Amino acid sequence: MMELPVIGQGAGEAQESGCSTSGCGGSSDQLSHLPAHIRDKVHNHPCYSEEAHHHYARMHVAVAPACNIQCHYCNRKYDCANESRPGVVSELLTPDQAVRKVMAVAANIPQMTVLGIAGPGDPLANPERTLDTFRQLSEKAPDIKLCVSTNGLALPAQVDELCKHNIDHVTITINCVDPDIGAKIYPWIYWNNRRIKGRKGAKILIEQQQKGLEMLTERGVLVKVNSVMIPGVNDEHLEEVSKVVKARGAFLHNVMPLIAEAEHGTFFGVMGQRGPTHEELQNLQDKCAGDMNMMRHCRQCRADAVGMLGEDRGDQFTMDKVENMEVDYAAAMERRAEYHATIEANREAQKTQSGESFIALSPISVKKKETRPVLMAVATSGGGVINQHFGHAKEFLIYEASMTDVRFIGHRKVDLYCSGGDTCGDAESTLQKIIRTLDGCEAVLCSKIGYEPWEMLENVGIQPNGEHAMEPIEDAVAAVYAEMVEQGLADTDKGQSRLQVGA
Ligand code: CLF
Ligand code: SF4
């Protein structure tokens, strides 16, 4: 097998491998009941397949500045919250610049399989710029999947154009199907050259979203629905949204937490509207999961994000750098195809290996029936393996292990504990914050960990574990769970630890 280059932040940390994912609706394995042509469509899409996001990257090009609605969680100076976390886009691109940038990234990041347009405004409120970019790319870079994210208002009018350009993944942000709730989220929409406020505007938006969703699914386009969970506004309503969009053919539902800070200058931020806790988000995702495939690995990316989900390599591909890159795209396509074949071979090999980890649990399950599920945090820089130092992790993936499966349930962002140099003086308080972020977890799996964090984690009842470096994540989580079961640490009558971090 060809050797794969490093894809994470730390040299030598990331090696390609794979993991089979159980329990996450977004995984390819979970989608094995679907027809082959649909499985093929999602197999290497890092958003539509949870498993694929360990191996493949996406990029966004910020070609769409205008928007046709106002959301209470958005400030035009910041990225579209449909598909991004707050933060201005670095550069607004013309379609020609965007195409050049995509080809440069594809030639340099062979994991990049998907190009998405997701802002900074609404792509379909800027149809010429968006469609020109897609049209050029479908000709010049035919090995890249095209993807778009929209609020849905202009969608019915653009469905046929999107289909012409081979766009077969569309995300619609649908926060409600009830106009009274919509009026609390959308102060106005711009429709037929008029600003329409309140309930009336929300009703039109909802009708257009539902119509667009149906039109796309009738044409065989895969539709993902994103919903922003806003506690006290639409949180209790989103189960209903999940049912409705599934009935109309949506493929995947991505319930994302509201991001609202006063400094973003958004209505919700300024009004002190809070976002959901990790627990509230997970509970809602679990409730919706009864009706729908759920996405749990969304990173709420910027509208100009580049790289694996959770990383941003945008500063390596600013237009001044891209203009100086010579790209032989035909040669790059050949290299990419070879690289993808190697990833796929490794994914297959790892799947065979992963099946064996659960066999190890079977004899224990006969003896130990009274066990409870356990949450574990994992440090990884990609490839589906435990390959990151605790101190280098910018986020942890959270898995729930039980006697029946290992389930991916989300990720939690953290402040970097060890950034080296002068910032280390603040390490203790940063470490305390990280430990708070891991609330509810009972083990942390990483490639290495220092003595100080080890001790602090142990003191609050989280077991650090560096014994499974470079092993597939799910195998490692299953192995640690098996040990906990054997030691009686996962017995039903042994409660989950609660954190007592510092003062
Ligand atoms: Fe981009 Fe969105 Fe396509 Fe993915 S992102 S347009 S479907 S290629 Fe993905 Fe980013 Fe979440 Fe979006 S992690 S914000 S779901
Ligand atoms: Fe902002 Fe996106 Fe909402 Fe438009 S659709 S207001 S850009 S979050």
Side-chain angles (χ1 to χ4, degrees):
M1 264 176 212
M2 107 197 225
E3 193 182 338
L4 298 168
V6 171
I7 53 176
Q9 300 95 6
E13 284 183 337
Q15 296 289 316
E16 273 304 329
S17 164
C19 69
S20 70
T21 301
S22 48
C24 174
S27 81
S28 306
D29 287 343
Q30 282 286 305
L31 306 174
S32 55
H33 58 289
L34 294 168
H37 72 280
I38 294 193
R39 289 206 310 273
D40 284 352
K41 275 188 189 177
V42 300
H43 186 70
N44 64 358
H45 193 306
C47 302
Y48 281 69
S49 159
E50 190 275 322
E51 192 206 337
H53 101 282
H54 293 297
H55 307 279
Y56 292 106
R58 55 74 187 100
M59 73 174 286
H60 291 162
V61 284
V63 294
C67 192
N68 47 8
I69 69 172
Q70 178 64 59
C71 304
H72 272 326
Y73 46 72
C74 177
N75 175 344
R76 289 282 189 279
K77 282 191 290 182
Y78 287 83
D79 292 354
C80 174
N82 279 336
E83 290 288 345
S84 61
R85 65 175 186 265
V88 281
V89 290
S90 308
E91 294 177 303
L92 189 64
L93 305 181
T94 64
D96 290 351
Q97 287 175 319
V99 169
R100 204 174 158 94
K101 178 169 173 175
V102 172
M103 294 175 78
V105 171
N108 285 285
I109 305 183
Q111 299 95 333
M112 203 278 274
T113 49
V114 179
L115 175 274
I117 301 184
D122 185 77
L124 301 185
N126 304 260
E128 295 82 14
R129 297 170 67 97
T130 297
L131 293 168
D132 186 18
T133 308
F134 282 143
R135 182 184 51 73
Q136 292 194 48
L137 282 172
S138 60
E139 286 163 14
K140 294 181 182 165
D143 61 334
I144 292 174
K145 284 182 195 301
L146 303 177
C147 194
V148 68
S149 172
T150 174
N151 62 42
L153 183 64
L155 182 57
Q158 298 295 343
V159 163
D160 289 329
E161 273 302 310
L162 291 175
C163 291
K164 261 192 224 162
H165 298 297
N166 263 349
I167 291 129
D168 53 9
H169 296 77
V170 174
T171 296
I172 315 173
T173 298
I174 300 181
N175 295 321
C176 57
V177 289
D178 175 343
D180 288 321
I181 294 176
K184 296 179 190 162
I185 302 171
Y186 308 106
W188 54 261
I189 67 165
Y190 198 73
W191 178 246
N192 290 340
N193 302 318
R194 281 194 305 134
R195 198 173 296 257
I196 301 176
K197 294 184 183 164
R199 188 182 189 282
K200 202 171 163 197
K203 185 165 180 286
I204 295 169
L205 176 64
I206 291 166
E207 284 165 0
Q208 293 300 300
Q209 290 171 335
Q210 298 297 322
K211 189 173 167 194
L213 166 58
E214 271 187 353
M215 289 173 74
L216 287 166
T217 54
E218 275 165 17
R219 287 159 177 77
V221 176
L222 288 187
V223 180
K224 170 165 73 63
V225 168
N226 282 1
S227 301
V228 181
M229 178 182 180
I230 311 162
V233 176
N234 70 346
D235 48 344
E236 291 180 0
H237 176 60
L238 285 177
E239 260 186 277
E240 171 70 8
V241 170
S242 221
K243 287 195 178 87
V244 169
V245 300
K246 184 185 182 189
R248 299 211 181 209
F251 174 77
L252 195 59
H253 192 191
N254 173 22
V255 177
M256 312 182 295
L258 171 74
I259 302 172
E261 303 291 342
E263 60 267 31
H264 301 157
T266 63
F267 177 83
F268 280 149
V270 171
M271 297 305 285
Q273 169 66 52
R274 72 172 180 92
T277 63
H278 295 305
E279 202 178 4
E280 287 169 337
L281 180 66
Q282 192 194 327
N283 286 343
L284 178 58
Q285 288 172 333
D286 285 347
K287 281 187 198 161
C288 295
D291 283 294
M292 193 65 188
N293 292 322
M294 299 302 294
M295 176 179 186
R296 297 173 194 253
H297 60 284
C298 176
R299 302 301 203 278
Q300 293 174 278
C301 338
R302 291 170 58 94
D304 55 4
V306 174
M308 306 291 283
L309 300 193
E311 74 171 1
D312 194 355
R313 297 176 60 180
D315 58 353
Q316 294 170 29
F317 297 95
T318 50
M319 273 324 288
D320 56 329
K321 292 179 182 149
V322 165
E323 300 290 359
N324 291 319
M325 292 180 190
E326 283 300 320
V327 175
D328 175 348
Y329 200 76
M333 273 210 299
E334 269 179 42
R335 286 197 306 274
R336 285 160 56 74
E338 208 181 316
Y339 193 94
H340 293 180
T342 306
I343 291 177
E344 290 309 317
N346 283 330
R347 278 173 90 177
E348 273 310 307
Q350 288 298 336
K351 267 182 198 156
T352 315
Q353 194 183 326
S354 285
E356 289 162 11
S357 60
F358 292 100
I359 296 168
L361 279 171
S362 314
I364 302 167
S365 65
V366 178
K367 288 182 275 167
K368 289 250 183 195
K369 290 212 169 102
E370 304 298 310
T371 56
R372 60 183 173 79
V374 167
L375 291 188
M376 298 187 205
V378 167
T380 176
S381 59
V385 293
I386 314 263
N387 57 2
Q388 199 167 39
H389 191 298
F390 178 85
H392 296 167
K394 289 181 180 161
E395 63 172 21
F396 289 92
L397 303 191
I398 309 296
Y399 286 78
E400 183 187 74
S402 69
M403 290 310 299
T404 49
D405 65 5
V406 170
R407 186 167 81 107
F408 173 77
I409 58 168
H411 75 287
R412 296 188 193 168
K413 284 198 174 82
V414 296
D415 289 333
L416 206 58
Y417 163 54
C418 173
S419 49
D422 298 340
T423 56
C424 279
D426 297 334
E428 196 186 352
S429 59
T430 309
L431 186 51
Q432 287 179 340
K433 274 193 251 163
I434 293 173
I435 292 175
R436 275 198 195 90
T437 306
L438 300 179
D439 187 18
C441 298
E442 295 179 58
V444 180
L445 282 62
C446 50
S447 61
K448 276 189 184 162
I449 180 166
Y451 177 73
E452 188 193 358
W454 180 290
E455 198 178 27
M456 281 184 72
L457 285 163
E458 263 192 344
N459 286 344
V460 296
I462 301 177
Q463 189 55 51
N465 188 314
E467 289 167 21
H468 295 275
M470 299 317 299
E471 289 180 19
I473 294 169
E474 297 193 351
D475 291 8
V477 171
V480 173
Y481 185 69
E483 281 168 26
M484 291 179 75
V485 170
E486 288 220 314
Q487 293 163 13
L489 297 174
D491 288 357
T492 338
D493 56 357
K494 280 241 166 66
Q496 172 187 317
S497 60
R498 305 308 307 173
L499 299 188
Q500 309 268 326
V501 188

mmCIF file of all heavy atoms in Angstrom, residues 1 17 22 28 67 84 107-108 132 167 202 220 226 236 250 255 274 299 312 341 357 365 396 423 428 434 453 465 467:
data_model
loop_
_atom_site.group_PDB
_atom_site.id
_atom_site.type_symbol
_atom_site.label_atom_id
_atom_site.label_comp_id
_atom_site.label_asym_id
_atom_site.label_seq_id
_atom_site.Cartn_x
_atom_site.Cartn_y
_atom_site.Cartn_z
ATOM 1 N N MET A 1 0.829 -1.209 0.000
ATOM 2 C CA MET A 1 0.000 0.000 0.000
ATOM 3 C C MET A 1 0.866 1.263 0.000
ATOM 4 O O MET A 1 1.882 1.303 0.666
ATOM 5 C CB MET A 1 -0.817 0.032 1.287
ATOM 6 C CG MET A 1 -2.198 -0.523 1.114
ATOM 7 S SD MET A 1 -3.013 -0.531 2.681
ATOM 8 C CE MET A 1 -4.021 -1.976 2.461
ATOM 9 N N SER A 17 -6.193 5.000 8.412
ATOM 10 C CA SER A 17 -6.703 3.750 8.925
ATOM 11 C C SER A 17 -8.196 3.828 8.757
ATOM 12 O O SER A 17 -8.692 4.477 7.877
ATOM 13 C CB SER A 17 -6.268 3.622 10.375
ATOM 14 O OG SER A 17 -7.018 2.657 11.004
ATOM 15 N N SER A 22 -20.838 2.252 14.527
ATOM 16 C CA SER A 22 -22.161 1.754 14.810
ATOM 17 C C SER A 22 -22.944 2.825 15.523
ATOM 18 O O SER A 22 -22.402 3.600 16.275
ATOM 19 C CB SER A 22 -22.064 0.507 15.675
ATOM 20 O OG SER A 22 -21.201 0.757 16.735
ATOM 21 N N SER A 28 -21.669 5.149 6.815
ATOM 22 C CA SER A 28 -21.946 4.353 5.635
ATOM 23 C C SER A 28 -22.538 3.017 6.015
ATOM 24 O O SER A 28 -23.421 2.508 5.357
ATOM 25 C CB SER A 28 -20.655 4.120 4.859
ATOM 26 O OG SER A 28 -20.046 5.328 4.593
ATOM 27 N N CYS A 67 -27.881 38.022 1.248
ATOM 28 C CA CYS A 67 -28.874 37.102 1.791
ATOM 29 C C CYS A 67 -30.264 37.684 1.594
ATOM 30 O O CYS A 67 -30.443 38.898 1.520
ATOM 31 C CB CYS A 67 -28.623 36.810 3.261
ATOM 32 S SG CYS A 67 -29.628 35.413 3.810
ATOM 33 N N SER A 84 -21.649 27.641 9.442
ATOM 34 C CA SER A 84 -20.385 28.191 9.906
ATOM 35 C C SER A 84 -20.464 28.635 11.344
ATOM 36 O O SER A 84 -21.527 28.861 11.876
ATOM 37 C CB SER A 84 -20.016 29.405 9.062
ATOM 38 O OG SER A 84 -21.020 30.378 9.202
ATOM 39 N N ALA A 107 -5.402 19.849 -5.708
ATOM 40 C CA ALA A 107 -4.092 19.321 -6.107
ATOM 41 C C ALA A 107 -3.175 19.113 -4.904
ATOM 42 O O ALA A 107 -2.262 18.297 -4.943
ATOM 43 C CB ALA A 107 -3.440 20.270 -7.106
ATOM 44 N N ASN A 108 -3.425 19.861 -3.830
ATOM 45 C CA ASN A 108 -2.539 19.795 -2.664
ATOM 46 C C ASN A 108 -3.103 19.015 -1.475
ATOM 47 O O ASN A 108 -2.357 18.625 -0.590
ATOM 48 C CB ASN A 108 -2.190 21.214 -2.201
ATOM 49 C CG ASN A 108 -1.184 21.862 -3.142
ATOM 50 O OD1 ASN A 108 -0.012 21.529 -3.119
ATOM 51 N ND2 ASN A 108 -1.654 22.751 -4.000
ATOM 52 N N ASP A 132 -22.307 29.950 -11.607
ATOM 53 C CA ASP A 132 -21.126 30.070 -12.467
ATOM 54 C C ASP A 132 -19.969 29.253 -11.879
ATOM 55 O O ASP A 132 -19.253 28.543 -12.597
ATOM 56 C CB ASP A 132 -20.743 31.563 -12.599
ATOM 57 C CG ASP A 132 -19.619 31.756 -13.606
ATOM 58 O OD1 ASP A 132 -19.390 30.836 -14.417
ATOM 59 O OD2 ASP A 132 -18.961 32.814 -13.580
ATOM 60 N N ILE A 167 -25.294 18.934 -9.102
ATOM 61 C CA ILE A 167 -25.208 19.126 -7.649
ATOM 62 C C ILE A 167 -26.155 18.130 -7.011
ATOM 63 O O ILE A 167 -27.373 18.263 -7.142
ATOM 64 C CB ILE A 167 -25.566 20.575 -7.269
ATOM 65 C CG1 ILE A 167 -24.460 21.466 -7.789
ATOM 66 C CG2 ILE A 167 -25.700 20.746 -5.757
ATOM 67 C CD1 ILE A 167 -24.909 22.582 -8.558
ATOM 68 N N ALA A 202 -42.323 34.327 7.717
ATOM 69 C CA ALA A 202 -41.895 32.982 8.141
ATOM 70 C C ALA A 202 -42.722 31.918 7.420
ATOM 71 O O ALA A 202 -42.201 30.863 7.026
ATOM 72 C CB ALA A 202 -42.042 32.848 9.656
ATOM 73 N N GLY A 220 -34.066 12.968 -7.155
ATOM 74 C CA GLY A 220 -32.991 12.074 -6.716
ATOM 75 C C GLY A 220 -31.805 12.769 -6.073
ATOM 76 O O GLY A 220 -30.732 12.179 -5.909
ATOM 77 N N ASN A 226 -30.432 20.981 8.041
ATOM 78 C CA ASN A 226 -29.782 21.515 9.239
ATOM 79 C C ASN A 226 -30.824 22.263 10.060
ATOM 80 O O ASN A 226 -31.656 22.984 9.499
ATOM 81 C CB ASN A 226 -28.688 22.527 8.859
ATOM 82 C CG ASN A 226 -27.410 21.861 8.393
ATOM 83 O OD1 ASN A 226 -27.316 20.636 8.321
ATOM 84 N ND2 ASN A 226 -26.421 22.669 8.066
ATOM 85 N N GLU A 236 -38.348 22.286 21.568
ATOM 86 C CA GLU A 236 -39.381 21.249 21.703
ATOM 87 C C GLU A 236 -40.081 20.970 20.372
ATOM 88 O O GLU A 236 -40.820 20.014 20.247
ATOM 89 C CB GLU A 236 -40.394 21.677 22.766
ATOM 90 C CG GLU A 236 -39.750 21.640 24.140
ATOM 91 C CD GLU A 236 -40.674 22.048 25.256
ATOM 92 O OE1 GLU A 236 -41.846 22.361 24.973
ATOM 93 O OE2 GLU A 236 -40.201 22.054 26.398
ATOM 94 N N ALA A 250 -36.176 13.956 3.180
ATOM 95 C CA ALA A 250 -34.811 14.335 3.599
ATOM 96 C C ALA A 250 -34.043 13.079 4.009
ATOM 97 O O ALA A 250 -34.602 12.137 4.561
ATOM 98 C CB ALA A 250 -34.856 15.322 4.755
ATOM 99 N N VAL A 255 -28.967 18.471 13.726
ATOM 100 C CA VAL A 255 -29.401 19.456 14.729
ATOM 101 C C VAL A 255 -28.146 20.060 15.347
ATOM 102 O O VAL A 255 -27.341 19.351 15.962
ATOM 103 C CB VAL A 255 -30.272 18.803 15.822
ATOM 104 C CG1 VAL A 255 -30.646 19.842 16.880
ATOM 105 C CG2 VAL A 255 -31.524 18.195 15.216
ATOM 106 N N ARG A 274 -29.449 31.881 25.276
ATOM 107 C CA ARG A 274 -28.383 30.889 25.453
ATOM 108 C C ARG A 274 -28.469 29.795 24.393
ATOM 109 O O ARG A 274 -29.536 29.566 23.808
ATOM 110 C CB ARG A 274 -28.446 30.276 26.855
ATOM 111 C CG ARG A 274 -29.605 29.319 27.075
ATOM 112 C CD ARG A 274 -29.502 28.603 28.419
ATOM 113 N NE ARG A 274 -30.623 27.683 28.609
ATOM 114 C CZ ARG A 274 -30.605 26.400 28.278
ATOM 115 N NH1 ARG A 274 -29.537 25.864 27.712
ATOM 116 N NH2 ARG A 274 -31.663 25.629 28.483
ATOM 117 N N ARG A 299 -19.214 20.369 12.350
ATOM 118 C CA ARG A 299 -18.306 21.284 13.061
ATOM 119 C C ARG A 299 -18.711 22.740 12.870
ATOM 120 O O ARG A 299 -17.968 23.642 13.205
ATOM 121 C CB ARG A 299 -16.864 21.106 12.578
ATOM 122 C CG ARG A 299 -16.309 19.701 12.745
ATOM 123 C CD ARG A 299 -16.337 19.257 14.211
ATOM 124 N NE ARG A 299 -15.379 18.206 14.464
ATOM 125 C CZ ARG A 299 -15.570 16.916 14.222
ATOM 126 N NH1 ARG A 299 -16.728 16.505 13.743
ATOM 127 N NH2 ARG A 299 -14.631 16.026 14.486
ATOM 128 N N ASP A 312 -8.838 23.867 9.972
ATOM 129 C CA ASP A 312 -8.992 24.899 8.959
ATOM 130 C C ASP A 312 -7.641 25.261 8.384
ATOM 131 O O ASP A 312 -6.784 25.810 9.072
ATOM 132 C CB ASP A 312 -9.684 26.137 9.542
ATOM 133 C CG ASP A 312 -10.151 27.049 8.412
ATOM 134 O OD1 ASP A 312 -9.839 26.746 7.235
ATOM 135 O OD2 ASP A 312 -10.807 28.046 8.697
ATOM 136 N N ALA A 341 -7.888 5.337 -3.525
ATOM 137 C CA ALA A 341 -7.908 3.870 -3.548
ATOM 138 C C ALA A 341 -7.213 3.319 -2.303
ATOM 139 O O ALA A 341 -7.645 2.329 -1.703
ATOM 140 C CB ALA A 341 -7.224 3.358 -4.813
ATOM 141 N N SER A 357 -13.399 -6.614 17.675
ATOM 142 C CA SER A 357 -13.371 -6.022 19.012
ATOM 143 C C SER A 357 -14.634 -6.341 19.781
ATOM 144 O O SER A 357 -14.615 -6.483 20.992
ATOM 145 C CB SER A 357 -13.172 -4.513 18.927
ATOM 146 O OG SER A 357 -14.215 -3.945 18.195
ATOM 147 N N SER A 365 -20.369 -10.267 28.362
ATOM 148 C CA SER A 365 -21.782 -9.927 28.451
ATOM 149 C C SER A 365 -22.584 -11.059 29.074
ATOM 150 O O SER A 365 -23.605 -10.827 29.700
ATOM 151 C CB SER A 365 -22.331 -9.558 27.079
ATOM 152 O OG SER A 365 -22.296 -10.662 26.239
ATOM 153 N N PHE A 396 -12.264 17.010 21.232
ATOM 154 C CA PHE A 396 -12.317 15.578 21.533
ATOM 155 C C PHE A 396 -13.569 15.003 20.896
ATOM 156 O O PHE A 396 -14.633 15.638 20.919
ATOM 157 C CB PHE A 396 -12.361 15.341 23.047
ATOM 158 C CG PHE A 396 -11.058 15.661 23.734
ATOM 159 C CD1 PHE A 396 -10.824 16.925 24.257
ATOM 160 C CD2 PHE A 396 -10.055 14.709 23.821
ATOM 161 C CE1 PHE A 396 -9.613 17.237 24.863
ATOM 162 C CE2 PHE A 396 -8.834 15.008 24.425
ATOM 163 C CZ PHE A 396 -8.612 16.274 24.947
ATOM 164 N N THR A 423 2.741 30.918 26.455
ATOM 165 C CA THR A 423 1.363 30.756 26.904
ATOM 166 C C THR A 423 1.233 29.674 27.972
ATOM 167 O O THR A 423 0.181 29.518 28.559
ATOM 168 C CB THR A 423 0.448 30.368 25.739
ATOM 169 O OG1 THR A 423 0.974 29.191 25.163
ATOM 170 C CG2 THR A 423 0.373 31.469 24.709
ATOM 171 N N GLU A 428 -2.660 25.900 33.652
ATOM 172 C CA GLU A 428 -3.502 25.258 34.645
ATOM 173 C C GLU A 428 -4.975 25.606 34.462
ATOM 174 O O GLU A 428 -5.843 24.747 34.440
ATOM 175 C CB GLU A 428 -3.041 25.596 36.058
ATOM 176 C CG GLU A 428 -3.682 24.619 37.034
ATOM 177 C CD GLU A 428 -3.408 24.961 38.461
ATOM 178 O OE1 GLU A 428 -2.601 25.858 38.717
ATOM 179 O OE2 GLU A 428 -4.027 24.321 39.318
ATOM 180 N N ILE A 434 -10.627 22.540 30.102
ATOM 181 C CA ILE A 434 -10.741 21.337 29.265
ATOM 182 C C ILE A 434 -11.440 20.235 30.049
ATOM 183 O O ILE A 434 -12.327 19.549 29.538
ATOM 184 C CB ILE A 434 -9.347 20.848 28.808
ATOM 185 C CG1 ILE A 434 -8.727 21.868 27.867
ATOM 186 C CG2 ILE A 434 -9.437 19.486 28.137
ATOM 187 C CD1 ILE A 434 -7.296 21.567 27.487
ATOM 188 N N PRO A 453 -1.671 16.776 33.599
ATOM 189 C CA PRO A 453 -3.071 16.525 33.229
ATOM 190 C C PRO A 453 -3.545 15.132 33.648
ATOM 191 O O PRO A 453 -4.702 14.951 34.017
ATOM 192 C CB PRO A 453 -3.089 16.692 31.699
ATOM 193 C CG PRO A 453 -1.674 16.678 31.258
ATOM 194 C CD PRO A 453 -0.846 17.106 32.413
ATOM 195 N N ASN A 465 -5.889 7.428 29.290
ATOM 196 C CA ASN A 465 -5.429 6.157 28.744
ATOM 197 C C ASN A 465 -4.625 6.419 27.474
ATOM 198 O O ASN A 465 -5.155 6.953 26.497
ATOM 199 C CB ASN A 465 -6.645 5.263 28.433
ATOM 200 C CG ASN A 465 -6.225 3.865 28.042
ATOM 201 O OD1 ASN A 465 -5.318 3.691 27.226
ATOM 202 N ND2 ASN A 465 -6.861 2.870 28.632
ATOM 203 N N GLU A 467 -2.741 3.858 26.158
ATOM 204 C CA GLU A 467 -2.284 2.513 25.766
ATOM 205 C C GLU A 467 -2.742 2.077 24.388
ATOM 206 O O GLU A 467 -2.391 1.007 23.932
ATOM 207 C CB GLU A 467 -2.792 1.485 26.786
ATOM 208 C CG GLU A 467 -2.080 1.589 28.121
ATOM 209 C CD GLU A 467 -2.797 0.795 29.197
ATOM 210 O OE1 GLU A 467 -3.571 -0.115 28.844
ATOM 211 O OE2 GLU A 467 -2.582 1.108 30.378
#
